[in-house]
Amino acid sequence: MTSQTDLKSLTSLSDLTDLTGTPVLVAALLATALALVVPLAVWGRVRGPRALRVGVRVGMVGVAQVSAVLVVFVAVNDQYGIYDSWGDLLGTESHVAAAPDLGADGTGGRDIAAAPRVRQGFSRVTGDPDLGPGLRLTHLKGALSGAEGEVYVWLPPQYGEPAYRNKDFPVVELLAGYPGSARDWWGNLDVQTQLEPMTERGQVTPFILVSPRTTLLPGKDTGCANVPGVVNADSWLSVDVRKMVTDTFRARKDAGGWAVAGFSAGAHCAAKLAIEHPDRYRAAVGLSGYNDPAAEPDSIAAHDARLRRTTDPLWILTHARRPPLTSLYLSGEPRDGYDDGLAVQRAAKPPTRVTVVPSSGGHRMTVWKPMVPQAFRWLSGAVGGPVRAESRAESSTGRVKALQSGATPVSPSGSSRP
């Protein structure tokens, strides 16, 4: 378990290395202002031979121009959450300690229920207005996958109410695009700010929202795939993060209480995970996604014929032993998610359900942000709500249906949670 001291150290380190947030933007603006003011103040005071004076002045102009470009980069990066840290930007930061062969189901044949509990410590995210209120942050080391990274969690208003004291809450796992950040759903799509009043009014189900790191390899999109010796991104998201949440919070363990949502590359991942693991996710939302992983040139599957085929959600769906018990909400424009969504819809057979919704405005956050409320209204109908903690009827039903769908279920894990 991560201690509070470790979390404070993590927060301090993050403050030093983050490329997002108001402090970095303010620092860049101050540096640019200084780079403009200094030449004005000393331009006529530069002494020495002519060549030296010219060199110094050209250098000052160059610094001012570089500073201006830096401000633009920081502002764009802050708005879209492209790179979290210098390591992500420079392609030097790996979040994979090991990548053992975990087999077809991504569990390595292990009984997840028998694994040690993962009671993770969280710190509250404060002082970053870009992310909005109510977030908790931890750094998780995946015991099974060998991957690690930050995980943000938001608890719905009902979580702390006495009437829900003995209830387990449904969960939606939120996946960013590539390159992207676990912050994107909070900082760019304002997901909890949009959903909180809707949750309080009973317009959407009170979901626990979980946003884990998805960029695990430097300069590569994992496509949420397991590749022995390279990365176990699938098991990181669908087993390690999932188990940590159910062990730490009052969260439902059954597939009927879990969904996954993503945009762009995260939409590809969401559809893949839901179709491949109906024993873990009952629904998925994909905003402007794609089926063929080669749509992202940096995908680890893009240049491998077998991986490219077996990580394609459409291929997984058409080659499943039985139609998976899951529902998909897919949106996009023609040639940007919509056509691929229609292909999945045409291939789907009951009990798989696919809803395809057209969008317009391009492949951008400003298009996906206003789609969040409708997507979560849909999710509220596809995923069950809070259930009594001692009730395992839905969990058992979900396990049986998962077995019927031809999937290999992940065993539920028990724990005492806050």
Side-chain angles (χ1 to χ4, degrees):
M1 186 177 82
T2 305
S3 68
Q4 292 300 320
T5 301
D6 292 337
L7 287 169
K8 289 178 180 178
S9 300
L10 169 66
T11 303
S12 299
L13 181 60
S14 176
D15 290 342
L16 293 174
T17 60
D18 272 356
L19 285 178
T20 54
T22 303
V24 177
L25 182 57
V26 170
L29 288 170
L30 290 175
T32 301
L34 189 62
L36 293 173
V37 170
V38 169
L40 293 175
V42 303
W43 191 270
R45 301 180 184 181
V46 178
R47 297 291 181 264
R50 178 180 175 81
L52 177 62
R53 297 197 307 272
V54 170
V56 171
R57 288 167 178 163
V58 169
M60 289 190 294
V61 171
V63 169
Q65 291 178 332
V66 170
S67 299
V69 172
L70 179 63
V71 166
V72 173
F73 165 77
V74 171
V76 172
N77 187 67
D78 185 59
Q79 180 178 358
Y80 294 105
I82 301 171
Y83 299 103
D84 263 346
S85 65
W86 288 103
D88 285 340
L89 172 63
L90 300 175
T92 59
E93 189 171 49
S94 173
H95 292 262
V96 178
D101 188 345
L102 298 177
D105 71 343
T107 67
R110 302 181 193 181
D111 181 0
I112 303 303
R117 294 177 180 175
V118 184
R119 292 293 304 276
Q120 194 79 1
F122 279 77
S123 64
R124 292 190 178 274
V125 177
T126 59
D128 192 340
D130 292 341
L131 293 184
L135 288 184
R136 302 160 186 249
L137 172 65
T138 194
H139 186 91
L140 175 67
K141 295 184 177 181
L144 179 70
S145 67
E148 63 178 276
E150 67 274 18
V151 181
Y152 290 89
V153 170
W154 178 80
L155 303 176
Q158 290 86 343
Y159 192 89
E161 295 178 1
Y164 288 83
R165 181 172 50 194
N166 296 318
K167 296 290 184 70
D168 285 350
F169 286 76
V171 182
V172 181
E173 206 167 353
L174 306 172
L175 309 181
Y178 172 84
S181 164
R183 300 162 53 98
D184 286 345
W185 276 88
W186 323 104
N188 292 312
L189 302 190
D190 295 336
V191 60
Q192 83 278 36
T193 305
Q194 293 196 71
L195 293 185
E196 184 166 4
M198 297 178 67
T199 301
E200 291 176 331
R201 292 193 295 265
Q203 296 174 330
V204 297
T205 296
F207 292 109
I208 294 174
L209 304 181
V210 180
S211 176
R213 168 175 277 271
T214 53
T215 302
L216 300 172
L217 295 172
K220 294 293 181 182
D221 170 36
T222 67
C224 299
N226 276 7
V227 183
V230 179
V231 66
N232 285 321
D234 184 319
S235 296
W236 158 251
L237 296 169
S238 70
V239 181
D240 282 331
V241 171
R242 196 178 191 280
K243 177 172 172 56
M244 180 274 288
V245 172
T246 58
D247 284 357
T248 304
F249 300 99
R250 298 196 313 275
R252 289 179 57 170
K253 302 180 181 69
D254 60 298
W258 275 75
V260 58
F263 57 83
S264 191
H268 164 79
C269 284
K272 172 191 175 294
L273 292 175
I275 294 171
E276 193 168 19
H277 302 300
D279 56 306
R280 303 172 202 179
Y281 303 100
R282 185 53 43 83
V285 169
L287 308 178
S288 301
Y290 48 84
N291 293 328
D292 185 350
E296 172 47 66
D298 286 337
S299 169
I300 59 174
H303 309 291
D304 182 295
R306 185 190 65 82
L307 273 178
R308 181 177 174 181
R309 181 178 66 254
T310 58
T311 58
D312 183 322
L314 180 60
W315 188 93
I316 297 171
L317 178 64
T318 56
H319 288 76
R321 286 185 294 172
R322 294 180 181 86
L325 177 63
T326 195
S327 298
L328 306 176
Y329 178 99
L330 307 175
S331 77
E333 296 182 337
R335 297 179 298 281
D336 186 23
Y338 185 70
D339 299 329
D340 283 4
L342 289 178
V344 173
Q345 187 181 58
R346 287 192 295 267
K349 298 177 181 178
T352 308
R353 296 187 303 155
V354 181
T355 299
V356 182
V357 179
S359 65
S360 61
H363 194 88
R364 59 189 67 187
M365 298 285 186
T366 53
V367 172
W368 304 322
K369 180 177 176 178
M371 298 180 71
V372 167
Q374 180 57 37
F376 273 81
R377 289 190 189 97
W378 179 89
L379 275 175
S380 298
V383 178
V387 299
R388 289 186 62 83
E390 61 269 25
S391 172
R392 291 293 172 258
E394 170 66 17
S395 179
S396 299
T397 302
R399 183 180 175 85
V400 171
K401 289 181 178 178
L403 286 167
Q404 291 174 345
S405 73
T408 303
V410 176
S411 303
S413 59
S415 67
S416 56
R417 296 149 296 157

